[in-house]
């Protein structure tokens, strides 16, 4: 029943439609345009889906939200959340959404080899970040007017969000990571965090939103939660006067808390960087 209600809510928010009661009637809904580029860096074709605002105007600039793990189901949920923030709550401006589909998720998201994923050829996060920086983002910028880049990931792709933040802070303006723990490579992240924070001015103006749930079945002993608390303490200690940062823990949520995207975008667009 909860799943049915959630699906109906998403459809209602997106389109203001009442689902027809006629049995067997097929409904087709278009939420974006599929596109792809041939990546030289990754040596493969990378697919993605682009959703434009309902009132898209080519002469205007828009914030652009890049969603990792971007299949059509996640895009559908993302569009619903964004539309709620834009049209109902009037918190965020209209924005472009780019859902980046996976090919080899573990390879692209992990920055180092680890025991968590024993497959070979892991540790491709650096190449994936270079793909974003040198290929996908310039391609998107050549087609659309954009003014504020937001990167959003969940679970393993949230690990990449943190990696991207620490290794190339200015590649995006804002970062949202849901269940962004890194249990398999904690020491690595401590090392790149310490190195990155030596150049604190690189983070000036960034907005960072990290979440986790205390009922996460992947964190039965609370070690991931502690990682994020320690990570937050380090950010607040080193970057507090340069960024807007929030770590939100949901006491009654599990892995990838459902409200993370809504709360993250709300935080980003309500934040005032002048302290």
């Amino acid at each position: 029943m909860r799943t049915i209600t959630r699906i109906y809510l998403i459809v209602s928010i997106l389109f203001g439609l009442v689902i027809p009661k006629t049995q067997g009637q097929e409904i087709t809904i278009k939420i974006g345009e599929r596109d792809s580029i041939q990546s030289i860096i990754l040596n493969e074709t990378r697919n993605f889906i682009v959703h434009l605002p309902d009132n898209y105007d080519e002469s205007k600039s828009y914030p652009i939200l890049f969603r990792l793990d971007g299949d059509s189901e996640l895009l559908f949920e993302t569009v619903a959340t964004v539309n709620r923030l834009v049209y109902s709550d009037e918190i965020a401006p209209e924005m472009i959404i780019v859902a980046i589909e996976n090919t080899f998720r573990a390879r692209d998201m992990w920055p180092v080899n680890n025991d968590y994923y024993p497959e070979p050829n892991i540790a491709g996060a650096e190449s994936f970040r270079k793909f974003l920086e040198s290929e996908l983002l310039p391609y998107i910028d050549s087609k659309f007017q954009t003014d504020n880049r937001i990167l959003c990931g969940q679970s393993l792709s949230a690990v990449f969000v943190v990696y991207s933040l620490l290794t190339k802070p200015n590649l995006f303006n804002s970062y949202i990571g849901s269940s962004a723990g890194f249990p398999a490579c904690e020491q690595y992240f401590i090392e790149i965090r310490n190195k990155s924070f030596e150049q604190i001015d690189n983070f000036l103006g960034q907005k960072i939103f990290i979440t986790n749930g205390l009922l996460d079945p992947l964190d039965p002993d609370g070690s991931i939660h502690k990682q994020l608390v320690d990570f937050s303490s380090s950010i607040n200690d080193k970057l507090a006067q340069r960024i807007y940062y929030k770590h939100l823990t949901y006491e009654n949520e599990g892995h990838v808390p459902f409200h993370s995207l809504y709360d993250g975008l709300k935080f980003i667009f309500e934040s005032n960087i002048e302290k």
Side-chain angles (χ1 to χ4, degrees), residues 34-92:
R34 289 191 176 275
D35 201 350
S36 65
I37 60 174
Q38 182 63 36
S39 171
I40 297 174
I41 294 172
L42 299 176
N43 192 31
E44 63 186 7
T45 300
R46 294 306 300 240
N47 299 317
F48 51 93
I49 312 171
V50 179
H51 170 84
L52 298 178
D54 293 339
N55 303 310
Y56 180 71
D57 182 346
E58 292 185 354
S59 66
K60 291 175 55 178
S61 295
Y62 294 88
I64 182 163
L65 172 62
F66 290 88
R67 286 230 65 178
L68 304 172
D69 300 327
D71 57 23
S72 56
E73 181 179 351
L74 186 67
L75 176 60
F76 192 81
E77 185 176 305
T78 302
V79 172
T81 301
V82 168
N83 281 356
R84 172 65 184 267
L85 286 159
V86 173
Y87 302 115
S88 179
D89 297 342
E90 298 182 349
I91 293 172

Side-chain angles (χ1 to χ4, degrees), residues 109-125:
M109 301 300 123
W110 279 121
V112 290
N113 289 300
N114 57 80
D115 294 333
Y116 211 77
Y117 279 81
E119 299 96 327
N121 301 319
I122 305 298

Side-chain angles (χ1 to χ4, degrees), residues 2-240:
R2 181 180 179 183
T3 301
I4 295 174
T5 302
R6 177 178 167 189
I7 293 173
Y8 176 80
L9 175 62
I10 290 174
V11 173
S12 298
I13 292 171
L14 268 173
F15 308 103
L17 298 176
V18 176
I19 302 301
K21 295 182 179 180
T22 304
Q23 296 296 321
Q25 183 173 352
E26 182 177 347
I27 300 174
T28 301
I29 299 173
K30 180 179 178 180
I31 60 172
E33 293 283 351
R34 289 191 176 275
D35 201 350
S36 65
I37 60 174
Q38 182 63 36
S39 171
I40 297 174
I41 294 172
L42 299 176
N43 192 31
E44 63 186 7
T45 300
R46 294 306 300 240
N47 299 317
F48 51 93
I49 312 171
V50 179
H51 170 84
L52 298 178
D54 293 339
N55 303 310
Y56 180 71
D57 182 346
E58 292 185 354
S59 66
K60 291 175 55 178
S61 295
Y62 294 88
I64 182 163
L65 172 62
F66 290 88
R67 286 230 65 178
L68 304 172
D69 300 327
D71 57 23
S72 56
E73 181 179 351
L74 186 67
L75 176 60
F76 192 81
E77 185 176 305
T78 302
V79 172
T81 301
V82 168
N83 281 356
R84 172 65 184 267
L85 286 159
V86 173
Y87 302 115
S88 179
D89 297 342
E90 298 182 349
I91 293 172
E94 292 184 312
M95 67 186 75
I96 299 168
I97 303 170
V98 177
I100 307 170
E101 298 180 350
N102 291 321
T103 55
F104 189 172
R105 184 176 186 247
R107 176 202 65 190
D108 292 341
M109 301 300 123
W110 279 121
V112 290
N113 289 300
N114 57 80
D115 294 333
Y116 211 77
Y117 279 81
E119 299 96 327
N121 301 319
I122 305 298
E126 181 178 3
S127 294
F128 186 71
R129 193 205 68 215
K130 289 179 179 178
F131 156 72
L132 296 178
E133 180 179 10
S134 302
E135 297 178 328
L136 181 60
L137 269 59
Y139 176 80
I140 294 295
D141 287 344
S142 72
K143 298 190 67 174
F144 308 105
Q145 297 285 345
T146 63
D147 62 8
N148 183 10
R149 295 172 177 168
I150 305 166
L151 180 65
C152 179
Q154 57 187 23
S155 191
L156 182 53
S157 61
V159 174
F160 178 82
V161 168
V162 176
Y163 170 80
S164 181
L165 166 70
L166 294 177
T167 56
K168 198 76 174 183
N170 295 317
L171 188 57
F172 296 89
N173 305 100
S174 303
Y175 296 84
I176 300 173
S178 178
S179 292
F182 27 88
C185 44
E186 181 177 11
Q187 186 57 40
Y188 170 81
F189 274 96
I190 290 174
E191 291 172 1
I192 64 170
R193 180 193 71 195
N194 293 340
K195 181 179 179 180
S196 182
F197 289 176
E198 292 175 359
Q199 306 293 327
I200 55 179
D201 287 340
N202 290 339
F203 295 87
L204 186 63
Q206 302 300 83
K207 298 179 181 180
I208 307 160
F209 185 82
I210 302 293
T211 73
N212 70 297
L214 289 184
L215 301 182
D216 190 341
L218 300 183
D219 187 28
D221 61 355
S223 60
I224 295 177
H225 175 69
K226 184 180 182 302
Q227 283 181 0
L228 295 178
V229 170
D230 292 343
F231 181 73
S232 298
S233 296
S234 179
I235 285 184
N236 289 326
D237 180 51
K238 299 293 185 180
L239 309 177

